[in-house]
Amino acid sequence: MWKTAEYTGWGRFYRAKGELARPERASALDRIAGEAPCPAIGQRRSYSDGCLNTRGRAIATDRLDRMLGFDEETGVLDVEAGCRLSEILRFFAPRGWLPTVLPGTGFATVGGAIGMDVHGKNHHHVGSFGQHVTGLTLHHPDGRREVLPGDPLFAATIGGMGQTGPIGSARLQMQPVKGPVMMVTERRVPDLDSYLELFDTTEATYTVGWIDATATGGNLGRGIFEEGETGAGLVPPAKRGKRIPMDAPNFALSGPVVRGFNAAYYRRIPDRGRTVVKPLEDFFFPLDKIFDWNRLYGKRGFHQFQCVVPLAARDVLREMLTKVSASGLASPLAVLKRMGPGRAGMMSFPTEGYTLAVDFPARDQAAEMIRRLIAMATEAGGRVYLAKDAFATAAQMDAMYPERADWAALCNGLDPDHAYETDLIRRLDLRAER
Ligand SMILES: Cc1cc2nc3c(=O)[nH]c(=O)nc-3n(C[C@H](O)[C@H](O)[C@H](O)COP(=O)(O)OP(=O)(O)OC[C@H]3O[C@@H](n4cnc5c(N)ncnc54)[C@H](O)[C@@H]3O)c2cc1C
């Protein structure tokens, strides 16, 4: 049942070698949970070490991917934890339903979306993924346990990075959808102030912004603001999938190449803006069509820095962007968004504020830059996202996650041998009872 494998998170920076099991039935998950308790992992779309257990065991849930039942009256879907969100979208959108929250990749599984309490482009309206989970099943050494909202174990599990044991299945409150397409309005935004103004005043259901992290001076913070609504209409052909065939050489994402690319990408949108109709998947999961795009960063991999800072910390955001653009280290992938207050777990990332995410090829200077950005986010009363983090310190965690110690006590009571720990938990000493 156990096979030794070398594996990584999406950023391919941290690596693990350990034994993986791939149970196909809930009964097999019960057996493993009883005989060899260890963390469960999904599709390893977390960028860093949250889905790694070096020299230990982990349960890969990719074969536990069945949809178990759907109540058309209530819109509640009962689904195994290894099911990918893209599969749920593909099956249910033509039938008039969507998962209420979708992160930027459809490869994420239900278990992974719960484990990181993921957020989507509608976070400012509907909150986080876990707020739409109406129940879940944990597989513990002494048997299965149904957990419902209101139970402290539920709040420890949502965003709990797998530390309360393997989730076998969950019930999700889906939302009715107006139609099978997305109407997307795209506009150029000339600078950071105009950008934040748009986020503060938009009434659109879905919003997201690409930001040119290489722009400086008066152009600092320029980008493309997208507002989306589902709608009825003919589904346009989806973009064809492409594959990155090999690890790219280092110069592929050098400063001048990225600056050139970003300037052209920005100008792609006409001055007056435009509205386009897209298949839902192209809007929600824009990068999924480029399989293995993480190979563009070469063998050494890459990092994503993602933080959220309070609404009042606009200046910190500006300072961060100034540092990033001056460094010449950013890749084209950079996203800005406003978050609402919604969160469902003790360790959930979302909190009201602006969230900035920037990818950097893994280099020593990038690591230094990210450490500075993390310190700035901490000082501003913000936090970094543990699905992405590679360089925060244990000391920063208590400032960022005020419920961490209570959460750790709850996990340690349930799992005194620390069998569910992953590399991320050990790196940041997240289960220390300080
Ligand atoms: C292109 C891209 C875009 C993204 N966009 C967003 C975004 O917009 N918003 C956002 O919030 N995130 C985003 N992410 C991050 C991603 O959604 C999360 O990291 C998510 O957790 C990945 O799901 P996964 O199934 O790959 O889980 P993994 O990465 O494998 O695991 C994540 C965590 O969940 C735990 N876990 C997984 N399955 C189970 C289970 N069955 N039982 C118990 N614990 C489990 C693991 O132990 C681990 O701690 C993005 C990632 C990529 C690559």
Side-chain angles (χ1 to χ4, degrees):
M1 183 190 334
W2 297 96
K3 284 210 173 113
T4 301
E6 286 190 43
Y7 59 104
T8 68
W10 187 243
R12 298 168 79 217
F13 176 71
Y14 289 119
R15 290 165 187 271
K17 187 171 181 185
E19 284 186 304
L20 297 182
R22 296 174 63 218
E24 204 175 340
R25 303 262 156 212
S27 53
L29 183 58
D30 282 332
R31 221 171 25 253
I32 297 173
E35 290 167 8
C38 62
I41 57 176
Q43 287 285 335
R44 291 182 279 112
R45 253 46 190 191
S46 294
Y47 283 63
S48 182
D49 50 357
C51 47
L52 306 183
N53 191 17
T54 311
R55 290 190 292 276
R57 287 177 159 177
I59 303 165
T61 55
D62 54 321
R63 292 157 87 182
L64 283 167
D65 62 352
R66 294 169 203 80
M67 297 186 210
L68 303 170
F70 180 64
D71 183 333
E72 285 190 28
E73 295 284 301
T74 60
V76 173
L77 170 69
D78 192 6
V79 59
E80 286 185 334
C83 189
R84 296 174 186 185
L85 298 179
S86 57
E87 292 304 314
I88 302 179
L89 181 149
R90 223 165 276 149
F91 184 82
F92 277 97
R95 293 165 175 79
W97 297 90
L98 263 189
T100 308
V101 172
L102 288 164
T105 176
F107 286 101
T109 63
V110 168
I114 295 174
M116 290 296 178
D117 196 13
V118 300
H119 54 273
K121 299 176 177 66
N122 54 354
H123 184 270
H124 54 300
H125 285 301
V126 303
S128 67
F129 193 88
Q131 291 182 273
H132 307 280
V133 175
T134 62
L136 53 87
T137 308
L138 290 174
H139 292 240
H140 284 157
D142 56 356
R144 292 185 199 179
R145 189 157 166 179
E146 293 296 315
V147 190
L148 299 175
D151 183 337
L153 183 53
F154 187 86
T157 301
I158 307 285
M161 298 164 280
Q163 297 309 295
T164 58
I167 302 161
S169 64
R171 289 186 296 283
L172 310 182
Q173 178 65 62
M174 307 273 279
Q175 64 171 354
V177 62
K178 286 182 216 142
V181 296
M182 202 72 185
M183 326 287 279
V184 188
T185 302
E186 302 170 311
R187 301 187 232 180
R188 280 192 207 172
V189 190
D191 55 44
L192 186 63
D193 280 336
S194 328
Y195 225 141
L196 299 181
E197 181 67 25
L198 282 170
F199 274 118
D200 292 347
T201 52
T202 178
E203 289 181 0
T205 307
Y206 296 96
T207 58
V208 66
W210 170 79
I211 189 161
D212 178 355
T214 63
T216 52
N219 292 331
L220 186 86
R222 74 174 177 183
I224 298 169
F225 180 65
E226 290 186 28
E227 295 173 298
E229 302 292 341
T230 55
L234 276 184
V235 184
K239 280 196 198 128
R240 295 210 11 231
K242 294 198 180 81
R243 188 173 286 281
I244 303 297
M246 57 174 196
D247 294 333
N250 285 342
F251 62 78
L253 286 170
S254 66
V257 171
V258 175
R259 265 195 301 279
F261 173 88
N262 280 7
Y265 191 78
Y266 177 70
R267 273 188 235 105
R268 174 181 73 93
I269 304 298
D271 262 346
R272 61 187 181 288
R274 67 179 184 191
T275 298
V276 287
V277 178
K278 293 186 179 185
L280 295 176
E281 284 150 284
D282 288 6
F283 176 74
F284 286 114
F285 316 133
L287 289 167
D288 283 1
K289 285 282 158 55
I290 312 171
F291 303 113
D292 300 334
W293 63 259
N294 50 355
R295 300 185 75 175
L296 280 171
Y297 291 90
K299 282 202 182 71
R300 285 193 278 177
F302 73 109
H303 308 294
Q304 183 174 102
F305 163 76
Q306 183 174 1
C307 71
V308 56
V309 295
L311 296 176
R314 282 171 168 234
D315 290 348
V316 179
L317 209 54
R318 182 182 311 284
E319 219 184 301
M320 284 178 174
L321 278 169
T322 307
K323 277 197 190 318
V324 170
S325 59
S327 75
L329 296 167
S331 86
L333 279 172
V335 172
L336 185 66
K337 203 183 137 34
R338 182 173 164 157
M339 289 187 132
R343 62 205 304 269
M346 302 167 91
M347 292 297 285
S348 294
F349 167 68
T351 181
E352 183 150 47
Y354 302 109
T355 177
L356 174 70
V358 187
D359 287 8
F360 298 93
R363 308 263 186 283
D364 292 345
Q365 306 98 297
E368 248 171 67
M369 152 83 42
I370 294 170
R371 287 195 178 94
R372 277 207 299 277
L373 297 174
I374 296 171
M376 289 165 74
T378 317
E379 273 163 37
R383 58 172 65 129
V384 295
Y385 190 9
L386 294 174
K388 317 278 177 81
D389 172 67
F391 299 116
T393 63
Q396 286 165 332
M397 284 300 115
D398 291 332
M400 293 184 187
Y401 289 91
E403 291 179 82
R404 189 208 57 78
D406 292 342
W407 171 80
L410 212 147
C411 298
N412 294 341
L414 194 77
D415 172 35
D417 298 334
H418 294 232
Y420 300 139
E421 285 193 353
T422 57
D423 291 359
L424 168 72
I425 303 298
R426 286 186 287 270
R427 176 169 60 83
L428 293 175
D429 209 5
L430 284 172
R431 282 178 55 182
E433 290 192 46
R434 304 187 267 277

